Amino acid sequence: MGENQQQPKSHIATRLNILFFFVFIFFAAVILRLAYVQIVEGEQYQHDLEKYSIRQLPIPAPRGRILDVNHNVLVSNKPVFTVTYTSEQKREINEEAVAEKLTGLLQMDEKIGTDKELIKKQLNYRQHYQSL
């Protein structure tokens, strides 16, 4: 046997190297994209988060009262307002000042009132909520 004859090379090692190269390129692209999203576009996403974290919900008008045959009130509508506080990260809020401001708005009324009074009260609440 001569020295010029060579054993056939295995192509598996070459194929694995090519596969590892493409996997490396793929993960490098993913890491670069994540860095771009966090560093370059992070401020815009933070702004969008703050913009959509405060929501004003419309207050529907009362539907009226339900009366029986003798015109006795079976069901009357009374608006019930709910305030929800959600703490935010990276934002300093003076919770006592907000609570003081809301105390004047959230007084308990024992009197139900007429529909006109309820609508007037509802409009007053809406004006106060919009000023917060």
Side-chain angles (χ1 to χ4, degrees), residues 19-71:
L19 177 68
F20 287 141
F21 175 74
F22 283 117
V23 169
F24 174 76
I25 294 296
F26 174 75
F27 279 111
V30 168
I31 290 171
L32 289 174
R33 178 65 182 155
L34 287 174
Y36 176 77
V37 166
Q38 285 185 347
I39 296 170
V40 176
E41 295 179 349
E43 190 172 321
Q44 177 64 35
Y45 287 127
Q46 182 70 28
H47 175 71
D48 290 346
L49 175 69
E50 290 172 2
K51 184 169 87 173
Y52 294 116
S53 65
I54 297 173
R55 292 180 286 176
Q56 291 184 350
L57 302 176
I59 301 171
R63 293 177 292 208
R65 296 180 176 168
I66 299 174
L67 305 174
D68 66 359
V69 176
N70 300 323
H71 298 287

Side-chain angles (χ1 to χ4, degrees), residues 3 8-9 17 21 26 28 32-33 35 57 59 69 75 77 87-88 96 109 111-112 116 120-121 123 129 132:
E3 295 176 11
K9 277 191 170 180
N17 285 336
F21 175 74
F26 174 75
L32 289 174
R33 178 65 182 155
L57 302 176
I59 301 171
V69 176
V75 177
N77 292 308
S87 62
E88 296 181 26
E96 291 181 14
D109 271 343
K111 179 181 163 190
I112 293 177
K116 289 181 182 179
K120 185 176 179 182
K121 205 179 280 189
L123 292 173
Y129 289 141
L132 293 177

